Amino acid sequence: MPSHTQQPKKILVLGPSWVGDMVLAQSLLKTLKQKNPDCQIDVAAPAWTLPLLARMPEVSEAIALPFKHGQLAFWERVKFGRELRQHAYHQAIILTNSYKSAILPFFANIPQRTSFLGEMRYGLINDIRKLDKKTLPRTVDRFVSLGLEIGSALPKEISNPNLVADKKNATATLKKLSLNKTKNKILGLCPGAEYGEAKRWPSEYYAEVANAALKKGWDVWLFGSEKDIPVTEAINQLTQHQCIDLGGKTKLGEAIDLMSLCDTVISNDSGLMHVAAALNKKLIAIYGSSDPHHTPPMSTKAIVEYLSLSCSPCFKRECPLGHLDCLKKI
């Protein structure tokens, strides 16, 4: 009989700080599981990402990092790293390029620390991968490549992220918001974008789409964070308040579970766009200042709207030319 004494490989993934990137990181987790089905994958990431990680079956344990965004907190990272030594991880995969993100796995005594070099991290990273942007054009390609042996080619087909929604939580959230789910089809609109207005399709265009859907007997739900409240309110006003405005009313986990009830989603290039793709929804993804070749929605059901103007992608928060044609002409 074969020996079962060998411990399954324990991997710690240091996750990114953006919703969209964290969704894309699931493709890496799936790749690791395909290579080694028995491996244990823990993910350390900012606390707000935990609802996302809870909906990824590949994650054994989600570890909330207590550091503020952008904060070096050197000694706190050293202390936290030392506390993680008891887990006896075999490998750390660091998905961010900052110096500070590599401190923790080093002090956790993790023998193999895999990442791109990033901010001069010699020593902190001992399994340094070369970032060739031509062979790894997309964020998801870069993440997945870190889960392969050095020099290995990317798989022909990268597994798409696939979030598992919590149906009970969706029902509880509807009840909490005093909403009844009708038998109507539901159109989800995600008109916000954390990065800035150069990624936001105009609210009057969203309102036009909402009014057309309402006329056809659909329900329209507006998704967004607290920062998006002015945009969701403006759209709802232009529809005579016929939409369900969820702007600022849901936590991330609740938004994911409610979005799982939608039939179609229209979204700017944002974290929620990647969530909709990972829920396998019919999706129209609208790109302005960003590049759909770099961070496309990972879904066969997604349609990308992008004009590829000579001035885009500029990756700016606001249109440097003042016309926002890349979005207004869609």
Side-chain angles (χ1 to χ4, degrees), residues 64-77:
L65 295 175
F67 321 114
K68 285 188 185 135
H69 185 60
Q71 185 185 38
L72 176 60
F74 181 83
W75 291 111
E76 287 93 327
R77 288 177 197 272

PDB file of all heavy atoms in Angstrom, residues 64-77:
ATOM      1  N   ALA A  64      -7.045  37.640   7.814  1.00  0.00           N
ATOM      2  CA  ALA A  64      -7.183  39.095   7.641  1.00  0.00           C
ATOM      3  C   ALA A  64      -5.893  39.795   8.064  1.00  0.00           C
ATOM      4  O   ALA A  64      -5.422  39.613   9.186  1.00  0.00           O
ATOM      5  CB  ALA A  64      -8.356  39.600   8.464  1.00  0.00           C
ATOM      6  N   LEU A  65      -5.342  40.585   7.178  1.00  0.00           N
ATOM      7  CA  LEU A  65      -4.142  41.363   7.510  1.00  0.00           C
ATOM      8  C   LEU A  65      -4.572  42.650   8.213  1.00  0.00           C
ATOM      9  O   LEU A  65      -5.444  43.368   7.712  1.00  0.00           O
ATOM     10  CB  LEU A  65      -3.348  41.693   6.244  1.00  0.00           C
ATOM     11  CG  LEU A  65      -2.751  40.491   5.500  1.00  0.00           C
ATOM     12  CD1 LEU A  65      -2.096  40.943   4.200  1.00  0.00           C
ATOM     13  CD2 LEU A  65      -1.742  39.751   6.368  1.00  0.00           C
ATOM     14  N   PRO A  66      -3.971  42.970   9.357  1.00  0.00           N
ATOM     15  CA  PRO A  66      -4.440  44.112  10.138  1.00  0.00           C
ATOM     16  C   PRO A  66      -3.815  45.453   9.739  1.00  0.00           C
ATOM     17  O   PRO A  66      -4.011  46.445  10.408  1.00  0.00           O
ATOM     18  CB  PRO A  66      -4.007  43.735  11.566  1.00  0.00           C
ATOM     19  CG  PRO A  66      -2.775  42.909  11.379  1.00  0.00           C
ATOM     20  CD  PRO A  66      -2.919  42.206  10.067  1.00  0.00           C
ATOM     21  N   PHE A  67      -3.049  45.487   8.628  1.00  0.00           N
ATOM     22  CA  PHE A  67      -2.319  46.720   8.274  1.00  0.00           C
ATOM     23  C   PHE A  67      -3.188  47.627   7.420  1.00  0.00           C
ATOM     24  O   PHE A  67      -3.960  47.163   6.595  1.00  0.00           O
ATOM     25  CB  PHE A  67      -1.031  46.371   7.513  1.00  0.00           C
ATOM     26  CG  PHE A  67      -0.338  45.152   8.062  1.00  0.00           C
ATOM     27  CD1 PHE A  67      -0.233  43.992   7.313  1.00  0.00           C
ATOM     28  CD2 PHE A  67       0.190  45.161   9.345  1.00  0.00           C
ATOM     29  CE1 PHE A  67       0.370  42.855   7.823  1.00  0.00           C
ATOM     30  CE2 PHE A  67       0.804  44.030   9.865  1.00  0.00           C
ATOM     31  CZ  PHE A  67       0.897  42.877   9.105  1.00  0.00           C
ATOM     32  N   LYS A  68      -3.003  48.939   7.634  1.00  0.00           N
ATOM     33  CA  LYS A  68      -3.739  49.909   6.818  1.00  0.00           C
ATOM     34  C   LYS A  68      -3.138  49.930   5.417  1.00  0.00           C
ATOM     35  O   LYS A  68      -1.946  49.710   5.234  1.00  0.00           O
ATOM     36  CB  LYS A  68      -3.639  51.314   7.433  1.00  0.00           C
ATOM     37  CG  LYS A  68      -4.509  51.472   8.652  1.00  0.00           C
ATOM     38  CD  LYS A  68      -4.539  52.927   9.106  1.00  0.00           C
ATOM     39  CE  LYS A  68      -5.329  53.048  10.402  1.00  0.00           C
ATOM     40  NZ  LYS A  68      -4.652  53.898  11.372  1.00  0.00           N
ATOM     41  N   HIS A  69      -3.994  50.221   4.419  1.00  0.00           N
ATOM     42  CA  HIS A  69      -3.546  50.246   3.021  1.00  0.00           C
ATOM     43  C   HIS A  69      -2.407  51.258   2.858  1.00  0.00           C
ATOM     44  O   HIS A  69      -2.515  52.408   3.268  1.00  0.00           O
ATOM     45  CB  HIS A  69      -4.724  50.620   2.105  1.00  0.00           C
ATOM     46  CG  HIS A  69      -4.383  50.563   0.655  1.00  0.00           C
ATOM     47  ND1 HIS A  69      -3.954  49.404   0.032  1.00  0.00           N
ATOM     48  CD2 HIS A  69      -4.388  51.517  -0.307  1.00  0.00           C
ATOM     49  CE1 HIS A  69      -3.724  49.655  -1.243  1.00  0.00           C
ATOM     50  NE2 HIS A  69      -3.986  50.929  -1.474  1.00  0.00           N
ATOM     51  N   GLY A  70      -1.311  50.816   2.279  1.00  0.00           N
ATOM     52  CA  GLY A  70      -0.180  51.709   2.027  1.00  0.00           C
ATOM     53  C   GLY A  70       0.770  51.884   3.196  1.00  0.00           C
ATOM     54  O   GLY A  70       1.813  52.521   3.070  1.00  0.00           O
ATOM     55  N   GLN A  71       0.431  51.322   4.350  1.00  0.00           N
ATOM     56  CA  GLN A  71       1.238  51.514   5.564  1.00  0.00           C
ATOM     57  C   GLN A  71       2.374  50.485   5.606  1.00  0.00           C
ATOM     58  O   GLN A  71       2.143  49.299   5.407  1.00  0.00           O
ATOM     59  CB  GLN A  71       0.293  51.326   6.764  1.00  0.00           C
ATOM     60  CG  GLN A  71       0.885  51.605   8.121  1.00  0.00           C
ATOM     61  CD  GLN A  71      -0.117  51.251   9.235  1.00  0.00           C
ATOM     62  OE1 GLN A  71      -0.841  50.261   9.145  1.00  0.00           O
ATOM     63  NE2 GLN A  71      -0.164  52.056  10.270  1.00  0.00           N
ATOM     64  N   LEU A  72       3.617  50.935   5.873  1.00  0.00           N
ATOM     65  CA  LEU A  72       4.750  50.009   5.948  1.00  0.00           C
ATOM     66  C   LEU A  72       4.623  49.105   7.177  1.00  0.00           C
ATOM     67  O   LEU A  72       4.719  47.887   7.063  1.00  0.00           O
ATOM     68  CB  LEU A  72       6.087  50.760   5.974  1.00  0.00           C
ATOM     69  CG  LEU A  72       7.335  49.886   6.155  1.00  0.00           C
ATOM     70  CD1 LEU A  72       7.476  48.856   5.039  1.00  0.00           C
ATOM     71  CD2 LEU A  72       8.602  50.733   6.245  1.00  0.00           C
ATOM     72  N   ALA A  73       4.406  49.700   8.343  1.00  0.00           N
ATOM     73  CA  ALA A  73       4.197  48.954   9.606  1.00  0.00           C
ATOM     74  C   ALA A  73       5.182  47.789   9.731  1.00  0.00           C
ATOM     75  O   ALA A  73       4.799  46.649   9.961  1.00  0.00           O
ATOM     76  CB  ALA A  73       2.754  48.450   9.672  1.00  0.00           C
ATOM     77  N   PHE A  74       6.466  48.097   9.568  1.00  0.00           N
ATOM     78  CA  PHE A  74       7.508  47.063   9.467  1.00  0.00           C
ATOM     79  C   PHE A  74       7.462  46.069  10.630  1.00  0.00           C
ATOM     80  O   PHE A  74       7.377  44.857  10.436  1.00  0.00           O
ATOM     81  CB  PHE A  74       8.889  47.724   9.377  1.00  0.00           C
ATOM     82  CG  PHE A  74      10.019  46.728   9.253  1.00  0.00           C
ATOM     83  CD1 PHE A  74      10.347  46.198   8.018  1.00  0.00           C
ATOM     84  CD2 PHE A  74      10.737  46.305  10.369  1.00  0.00           C
ATOM     85  CE1 PHE A  74      11.376  45.269   7.895  1.00  0.00           C
ATOM     86  CE2 PHE A  74      11.758  45.378  10.256  1.00  0.00           C
ATOM     87  CZ  PHE A  74      12.081  44.860   9.012  1.00  0.00           C
ATOM     88  N   TRP A  75       7.500  46.590  11.871  1.00  0.00           N
ATOM     89  CA  TRP A  75       7.588  45.685  13.021  1.00  0.00           C
ATOM     90  C   TRP A  75       6.307  44.900  13.242  1.00  0.00           C
ATOM     91  O   TRP A  75       6.341  43.758  13.689  1.00  0.00           O
ATOM     92  CB  TRP A  75       8.002  46.453  14.284  1.00  0.00           C
ATOM     93  CG  TRP A  75       9.422  46.915  14.165  1.00  0.00           C
ATOM     94  CD1 TRP A  75       9.867  48.192  14.024  1.00  0.00           C
ATOM     95  CD2 TRP A  75      10.592  46.075  14.117  1.00  0.00           C
ATOM     96  NE1 TRP A  75      11.244  48.216  13.874  1.00  0.00           N
ATOM     97  CE2 TRP A  75      11.716  46.929  13.938  1.00  0.00           C
ATOM     98  CE3 TRP A  75      10.804  44.693  14.189  1.00  0.00           C
ATOM     99  CZ2 TRP A  75      13.021  46.451  13.844  1.00  0.00           C
ATOM    100  CZ3 TRP A  75      12.112  44.210  14.098  1.00  0.00           C
ATOM    101  CH2 TRP A  75      13.197  45.080  13.928  1.00  0.00           C
ATOM    102  N   GLU A  76       5.170  45.503  12.879  1.00  0.00           N
ATOM    103  CA  GLU A  76       3.891  44.770  12.971  1.00  0.00           C
ATOM    104  C   GLU A  76       3.893  43.596  11.991  1.00  0.00           C
ATOM    105  O   GLU A  76       3.403  42.504  12.294  1.00  0.00           O
ATOM    106  CB  GLU A  76       2.694  45.690  12.668  1.00  0.00           C
ATOM    107  CG  GLU A  76       2.382  46.677  13.768  1.00  0.00           C
ATOM    108  CD  GLU A  76       3.070  48.031  13.555  1.00  0.00           C
ATOM    109  OE1 GLU A  76       4.205  48.042  13.000  1.00  0.00           O
ATOM    110  OE2 GLU A  76       2.484  49.047  13.948  1.00  0.00           O
ATOM    111  N   ARG A  77       4.472  43.824  10.797  1.00  0.00           N
ATOM    112  CA  ARG A  77       4.539  42.750   9.792  1.00  0.00           C
ATOM    113  C   ARG A  77       5.489  41.641  10.251  1.00  0.00           C
ATOM    114  O   ARG A  77       5.218  40.454  10.042  1.00  0.00           O
ATOM    115  CB  ARG A  77       4.976  43.311   8.439  1.00  0.00           C
ATOM    116  CG  ARG A  77       3.893  44.141   7.768  1.00  0.00           C
ATOM    117  CD  ARG A  77       4.369  44.760   6.459  1.00  0.00           C
ATOM    118  NE  ARG A  77       3.470  45.833   6.059  1.00  0.00           N
ATOM    119  CZ  ARG A  77       2.377  45.667   5.321  1.00  0.00           C
ATOM    120  NH1 ARG A  77       2.050  44.469   4.856  1.00  0.00           N
ATOM    121  NH2 ARG A  77       1.594  46.691   5.014  1.00  0.00           N
TER     122      ARG A  77
END
